Amino acid sequence: MNDSEVHSLILDRVDEVEDDDLRAFLRGVLEHERDILKEPRAEYAEQYKELVDNFVGNESLQEFDNE
Amino acid sequence: MNNVQIFELEIEDYRQYEGNQTIPLETTSEKHINVIEGQNGSGKSNILNAITLCFYGEETHTDSNDDEGLESDPLVNKKRLKELDPGESIQGHIEIKLGKGEPEYAFRRTFSTARQEDAAEGDREERQFNSSIGDLRLRQRFGGNDWRPNPNPENILREILPTHVHEYFLFDGEQLDEFFQTGYTDHVRAAVLDVSHIELLNSAVGHLGKVQRDFESESSELGGDIQDLQERKEEASQELERLKQKRDELEDEIDTAEGKIDDIYDELAGSADDDVREMQQRRVYLEERLDEQEDELVDTKEAVGASLARAGGIAYNADALRYAVSELEEYESSQNGVSGLTEELLRGILSRETCVCGADLTECDSSREHIKDLLEEQTTESQDAIEGRLRMERALRDGESLIEGLLADLSELEDTRTAIDENETELANISAQLEDEDIIDNERAQELEQRRRDIQGRISKMEREVGELNGKIEQQEDVVDERREEWKQAMREQDEHDLLVRQSEFIDSATDKLSEIKREILEQVRTETEQRLERYYNDLIWKDEDYEVVLTEEYEVRLYGPDGRKNLGSLSAGERQVLALSFMAALSKISGFSAPVVIDTPLGRISSEPKQLIAQNVPDYLNDTQVTFLMTDVEYSEDVRAYISNEVANEYHLEFQNGVTQVVDR
C-alpha cells in the first residue's frame, strides 16, 4: 500500500465497471482526487471537464442520436 | 522482513535523553520484536513521542490529567537548559532510519528550546522556556554510505505511514481502555472511514457534482425555455443544498450537545458522592439496555409482521375450512357422489353384467359403457374429496402452530414494550432524584443534571427538526429530479444541447457508481473489521469462553459471551484494553499499510497471568511486522520474557538517574 495510490478496496471495484469509458474516467478522477486530497483549494474542474470531453465528445453525438 | 521497519532511532537532547543516543532496532522475519523496558517515568513514552514528533511534528502521549503535563515541558533536555542564559537556545533532533531490507530513508526533525529574555530564576518552567520544532527533513540512501537530501519528505512519509492512519500503528496501550468509553462509536466510525479512504470518494462525488452543475449551467446561455428550465432546476438544487446544509449544521450541533452530555456523564461518574456515582452508573447501564431493547423492539415487530403474514390467511378462514372438512367427511362416509349410485353398486352391476332394471349388459354395449363412465366419475370424485379434505386438515394443523408462533411473538412484543416503559420510567426517576435536593445533597450534581436535561431537551428538539428536514430533503430531491428531467427533455428537443445532456448523464453515472462503491466498501470494511475484531479478541482474551463480536451499522461494538450480551461498561479495564488492542490490530491490517508497530505499555491494564497469552499472541497476528514494545519492568516479567524470547531481536533497558535516561542493553 502506498498512500499516494488509491486504496485497492476502491480500485478493485472500479476495475469491475464494464463500460470502458466510465471505468477510465473514474480512475482518472480518483487518481486526481488522491493527489489533491489534502489541498482544499486544489483545481479539479478544468481537468474533469477535459476528461468528460475526452469520453463524451462530439464524436459521441451520433451514438446518442441512435439511442 | 518484507515490511518497512525502523533500523535506528537517534535522539539528541530530547526530554530525559541527554546528549546523542542511538538505539539500533533492526529486526528479521523470525525475530521481529524489540523490547525497550524501563520503570515509570524513565522515558518509555518519550520514545513513542520522539517517533511521532519526528514524523508528524506532534507527541502522541500527553498526560491529560496534569495541567503541567508533557506538552508544557520544554522539548530540550532540562539538564542542558541549565547552561542557558536568557535569550539563548539549544537545539536537539530526532532521526529515524527506515527501510525494508536495509536503511533507505533517514527522517530528521530538529527542535529547540530558548530561554525567555525576561525569564527570572523563580519563574515556573513553562514561563522560562519556549520550545519550537523545525521542518521534517529527509535523506535518501543511494547505496553504501551515499546519503543525499530528498526534497519531498512529506510525500515519502505519506507512502510509508500517512498521518491519518498512524494512530493504529504507533499508540499508547495504557490509554486504549479509554477508547471504548462514552461516545466511542464516533471514534470507531472515524477509524473505519479513515482506513476505507471514504474521504476520497466523498470528495470525488462533491467535485463531480460541481462540474456537472457547471456543464448544465452552460445550457442557460443557449436561451429559450431551456434557460428557464435550467434556472428552475438550479433554484431547486440550491434549495436542496440549503436544506442539507441546515440539516448538517443541526447534526453538528447535536454532536456538540451530545459531547457536552458525555462530559456531564463523565463528571457525574467521577463524583465523590457515592449516590451520584451509583445513579450515573445505573443510568448508563439503563441507557445501553434501552438501546438494545429498542433494537429488539424493531426485530420483534418484524417477526410479528412475518408471523401474521404466514398465519393470517388460515386464521381468518379457519371456520370455513373446518366446515368444509366436516362436510367432506360426511360425504366420504356415505360415498354418496350421485344419488343412489354407490361405487360398490356400480362395481356389482358390472361384475354381474345385469343392470338393476334387468337389462343384460352383454347384449347392450352402450349401457355397459355408461355404467363404466359412472364408476370412473364416482372414483375420481371420491379421491379428489379425500385429497381436498387432507389438505384442509393439514392447513388447519399448520395454521394452529403458526397462530401459536404469532401469539408468542405478540407476547414478546408486549414484554419488550413493558420493559422499555419501565426503563424509561426509571431513567426519568434517576433524573428527578439527581435534581431533588431532598434526595441528593450535592449542588454540583443538581446543576449538572439540570444542564443535562436542558441539553437533552434541545437535542430532542433538534432531532425532530432533523427528521422534518430529512422529509423535506427527500421531497426536494424529487423536485430536483423532476426539474432535471424537464430540463433534459427540453434539451433533447434541441440537437445543440445533446452533447451537454450526454456529458451530464455521464457524470451522473460516474457519481452513482462512486456512491455505490462507497456503500459497498463501508459494508466490507465494517464486516472485515468485525471478523478480525472477533478473531483477535478471542485469541487475546484469557478466558476459555468463546465471544461473538458484532460491529453494528451504527459502529457500535457488541460483545456476546456464553451468558448473552456484555455491556462494554461492565468490562474490566484489561478486557477493554484487549478489545481496543484487537480493534487497532484489525484496522492496521485493513488499512493496507505495512509499517512498523510501536506500542507503549501494551500490557498496562492486564493482570499477571493473561499477560503471557497476550504477549504470545500479539506478535503472532502482527507477523512479518516489526513490533516494538515499550514496557515497564512489571509488564516485562520473566514469564512474559520467556514467552516471546524466541522472537525478540533487541532488548534495551532505560537507566534513569538524576533526571537523565541512558539506553543500555538489557
Side-chain angles (χ1 to χ4, degrees):
Chain A
M1 179 68 188
N2 175 326
D3 198 45
S4 59
E5 295 166 1
V6 179
H7 201 300
S8 57
L9 278 172
I10 299 173
L11 285 187
D12 288 351
R13 281 173 171 78
V14 170
D15 287 344
E16 287 168 12
V17 173
E18 284 180 9
D19 184 316
D20 293 344
D21 286 350
L22 184 59
R23 187 172 61 246
F25 177 70
L26 288 174
R27 269 195 163 266
V29 167
L30 290 168
E31 278 160 18
H32 186 63
E33 289 293 335
R34 175 65 273 177
D35 289 343
I36 62 169
L37 192 57
K38 299 294 174 201
E39 302 167 47
R41 280 184 290 280
E43 166 56 30
Y44 59 86
E46 286 311 312
Q47 180 149 353
Y48 291 176
K49 283 177 190 167
E50 205 173 299
L51 267 177
V52 173
D53 279 341
N54 287 343
F55 293 116
V56 193
N58 284 315
E59 72 281 1
S60 306
L61 210 56
Q62 185 63 39
E63 195 185 322
F64 178 79
D65 289 341
N66 292 339
E67 276 181 2
Chain B
M1 177 166 280
N2 294 320
N3 290 341
V4 174
Q5 61 165 302
I6 298 175
F7 280 85
E8 204 175 272
L9 172 64
E10 183 183 309
I11 303 178
E12 187 171 282
D13 287 329
Y14 173 65
R15 300 215 187 269
Q16 294 102 322
Y17 299 89
E18 187 190 12
N20 187 304
Q21 300 196 44
T22 302
I23 313 173
L25 293 171
E26 181 175 356
T27 53
T28 62
S29 295
E30 294 74 32
K31 288 179 175 284
H32 65 118
I33 302 177
N34 293 308
V35 177
I36 301 176
E37 167 268 322
Q39 291 180 336
N40 282 330
S42 62
K44 286 185 311 300
S45 300
N46 280 334
I47 298 274
L48 179 61
N49 279 337
I51 294 170
T52 56
L53 182 69
C54 175
F55 284 154
Y56 311 106
E58 64 183 35
E59 292 178 311
T60 295
H61 179 98
T62 52
D63 189 350
S64 55
N65 295 323
D66 183 358
D67 289 343
E68 296 169 22
L70 285 170
E71 63 270 42
S72 59
D73 267 356
L75 289 172
V76 169
N77 180 266
K78 287 181 185 172
K79 223 168 166 183
R80 295 289 320 279
L81 294 176
K82 288 183 180 160
E83 303 161 9
L84 289 182
D85 288 324
E88 287 183 340
S89 66
I90 293 183
Q91 184 172 289
H93 73 259
I94 294 152
E95 181 169 288
I96 300 170
K97 287 200 172 83
L98 278 169
K100 283 192 175 173
E102 52 186 21
E104 293 165 66
Y105 301 107
F107 288 92
R108 176 189 279 241
R109 195 184 293 268
T110 57
F111 52 85
S112 66
T113 300
R115 185 165 192 153
Q116 308 275 40
E117 288 278 8
D118 54 353
E121 278 297 326
D123 277 356
R124 285 153 65 106
E125 224 161 42
E126 69 272 21
R127 298 185 63 172
Q128 286 188 43
F129 299 105
N130 185 17
S131 297
S132 60
I133 58 170
D135 292 336
L136 180 64
R137 307 267 179 217
L138 174 65
R139 288 180 299 136
Q140 189 170 350
R141 186 159 165 254
F142 293 88
N145 206 23
D146 181 12
W147 291 88
R148 297 181 214 163
N150 181 314
N152 299 308
E154 308 288 352
N155 288 352
I156 300 291
L157 182 62
R158 222 169 66 167
E159 290 171 10
I160 298 169
L161 189 57
T163 310
H164 70 100
V165 292
H166 87 254
E167 61 188 87
Y168 314 119
F169 290 82
L170 312 169
F171 57 88
D172 180 351
E174 203 163 32
Q175 290 178 348
L176 279 186
D177 77 299
E178 293 168 11
F179 190 87
F180 283 108
Q181 285 184 352
T182 319
Y184 75 87
T185 49
D186 289 344
H187 304 158
V188 174
R189 183 172 182 277
V192 170
L193 294 185
D194 267 352
V195 298
S196 341
H197 276 201
I198 291 301
E199 194 189 344
L200 186 75
L201 291 169
N202 284 338
S203 167
V205 168
H207 288 162
L208 284 177
K210 170 81 173 57
V211 171
Q212 187 179 28
R213 283 200 294 279
D214 287 352
F215 269 117
E216 292 173 359
S217 68
E218 285 177 29
S219 70
S220 65
E221 294 158 14
L222 299 172
D225 288 345
I226 301 288
Q227 187 173 359
D228 292 342
L229 290 169
Q230 158 62 19
E231 280 167 10
R232 272 166 53 76
K233 179 170 66 67
E234 192 54 37
E235 274 169 23
S237 295
Q238 281 169 1
E239 175 60 12
L240 180 62
E241 286 309 310
R242 192 189 66 75
L243 289 169
K244 282 183 175 172
Q245 194 182 345
K246 201 169 166 193
R247 179 195 55 190
D248 292 348
E249 283 168 10
L250 271 175
E251 283 177 342
D252 284 347
E253 276 185 53
I254 290 173
D255 281 349
T256 310
E258 284 175 342
K260 284 181 185 165
I261 288 190
D262 288 345
D263 292 343
I264 290 173
Y265 275 18
D266 287 344
E267 193 173 337
L268 289 171
S271 166
D273 186 327
D274 289 348
D275 289 341
V276 172
R277 230 175 26 248
E278 276 170 24
M279 279 189 205
Q280 179 56 27
Q281 272 174 3
R282 178 73 183 154
R283 170 153 64 192
V284 168
Y285 167 77
L286 286 173
E287 285 179 344
E288 283 179 5
R289 186 73 195 107
L290 198 60
D291 284 346
E292 288 168 30
Q293 285 164 334
E294 275 161 2
D295 290 346
E296 283 166 24
L297 190 67
V298 172
D299 293 346
T300 318
K301 277 181 180 169
E302 280 174 12
V304 166
S307 297
L308 192 60
R310 284 198 300 270
I314 304 242
Y316 290 132
N317 298 305
D319 287 347
L321 284 168
R322 283 196 197 98
Y323 175 74
V325 167
S326 79
E327 285 294 296
L328 284 167
E329 278 171 349
E330 201 177 311
Y331 163 76
E332 281 170 34
S333 66
S334 66
Q335 288 198 339
N336 198 10
V338 175
S339 177
L341 284 178
T342 65
E343 188 183 338
E344 197 182 351
L345 176 63
L346 292 168
R347 286 189 191 285
I349 292 170
L350 283 174
S351 124
R352 286 193 306 274
E353 299 195 326
T354 307
C355 185
V356 286
C357 63
D360 185 349
L361 297 184
T362 55
E363 291 178 1
C364 182
D365 284 346
S366 64
S367 299
R368 185 187 178 83
E369 284 309 308
H370 181 61
I371 299 291
K372 271 186 177 176
D373 287 347
L374 282 173
L375 177 61
E376 195 177 330
E377 197 179 313
Q378 181 78 340
T379 311
T380 310
E381 277 181 6
S382 302
Q383 281 171 350
D384 287 349
I386 291 168
E387 200 179 317
R389 175 180 56 79
L390 290 174
R391 283 174 69 177
M392 282 188 267
E393 284 176 347
R394 206 163 40 240
L396 278 166
R397 272 199 308 277
D398 291 349
E400 277 165 21
S401 79
L402 289 174
I403 289 165
E404 277 171 26
L406 172 63
L407 290 173
D409 287 339
L410 282 168
S411 156
E412 197 182 329
L413 184 67
E414 197 47 45
D415 289 349
T416 310
R417 280 188 174 135
T418 308
I420 287 175
D421 287 346
E422 284 169 4
N423 271 358
E424 283 175 341
T425 308
E426 192 177 345
L427 280 167
N429 285 342
I430 288 174
S431 178
Q433 284 172 5
L434 280 169
E435 274 193 76
D436 188 341
E437 58 187 20
D438 294 335
I439 298 175
I440 296 289
D441 182 19
N442 186 323
E443 275 183 28
R444 180 65 181 152
Q446 283 151 12
E447 183 193 325
L448 286 172
E449 184 54 24
Q450 229 163 35
R451 204 185 305 160
R452 185 203 71 84
R453 200 160 47 78
D454 291 347
I455 296 172
Q456 189 58 54
R458 284 211 311 276
I459 288 176
S460 302
K461 185 165 171 277
M462 287 191 287
E463 282 175 340
R464 279 196 299 277
E465 285 178 39
V466 167
E468 285 165 13
L469 278 169
N470 277 333
K472 285 183 186 170
I473 285 169
E474 267 183 41
Q475 285 174 357
Q476 192 60 25
E477 279 170 344
D478 290 344
V479 172
V480 170
D481 285 348
E482 202 178 291
R483 292 190 182 177
R484 178 170 285 151
E485 274 310 312
E486 287 170 5
W487 168 81
K488 277 183 189 172
Q489 189 56 38
M491 290 283 280
R492 283 193 187 93
E493 287 166 7
Q494 296 186 43
D495 286 349
E496 65 263 38
H497 289 98
D498 282 354
L499 180 60
L500 284 176
V501 172
R502 278 188 63 82
Q503 287 172 326
S504 173
E505 286 180 342
F506 185 71
I507 296 176
D508 252 350
S509 315
T511 309
D512 288 350
K513 192 68 209 172
L514 289 176
S515 302
E516 183 188 322
I517 289 174
K518 178 180 155 183
R519 280 194 301 277
E520 287 175 3
I521 287 177
L522 277 178
E523 184 51 23
Q524 186 192 335
V525 171
R526 193 187 60 76
T527 311
E528 212 173 306
T529 307
E530 180 182 79
Q531 287 165 351
R532 285 186 182 274
L533 189 54
E534 178 172 298
R535 199 179 103 209
Y536 296 155
Y537 187 75
N538 280 304
D539 280 353
L540 292 180
I541 199 71
W542 49 90
K543 301 179 177 178
D544 291 334
E545 302 153 344
D546 259 346
Y547 289 89
E548 186 193 349
V549 182
V550 174
L551 181 60
T552 69
E553 285 179 8
E554 288 77 36
Y555 300 97
E556 183 190 358
V557 175
R558 293 182 178 178
L559 189 63
Y560 295 90
D563 304 323
R565 185 171 167 192
K566 286 171 79 90
N567 279 314
L568 297 192
S570 69
L571 298 181
S572 69
E575 288 171 319
R576 278 202 303 274
Q577 189 183 358
V578 166
L579 191 62
L581 199 58
S582 309
F583 186 70
M584 294 296 176
L587 287 178
S588 65
K589 282 281 179 193
I590 295 167
S591 74
F593 289 90
S594 60
V597 169
V598 180
I599 313 178
D600 184 19
T601 46
L603 310 174
R605 303 276 180 177
I606 317 288
S607 51
S608 60
E609 197 180 335
K611 282 183 181 170
Q612 298 156 8
L613 187 69
I614 294 171
Q616 196 176 15
N617 282 334
V618 168
D620 279 352
Y621 65 67
L622 292 171
N623 58 3
D624 212 30
T625 300
Q626 182 191 51
V627 183
T628 301
F629 287 137
L630 306 168
M631 288 172 157
T632 63
D633 49 345
V634 179
E635 279 182 291
Y636 198 41
S637 63
E638 282 309 312
D639 284 348
V640 169
R641 190 181 189 198
Y643 268 103
I644 59 174
S645 61
N646 287 339
E647 294 175 77
V648 173
N650 300 290
E651 232 183 5
Y652 298 105
H653 171 66
L654 301 180
E655 189 91 37
F656 182 66
Q657 277 184 340
N658 304 323
V660 170
T661 295
Q662 287 293 326
V663 184
V664 295
D665 283 333
R666 194 173 190 275

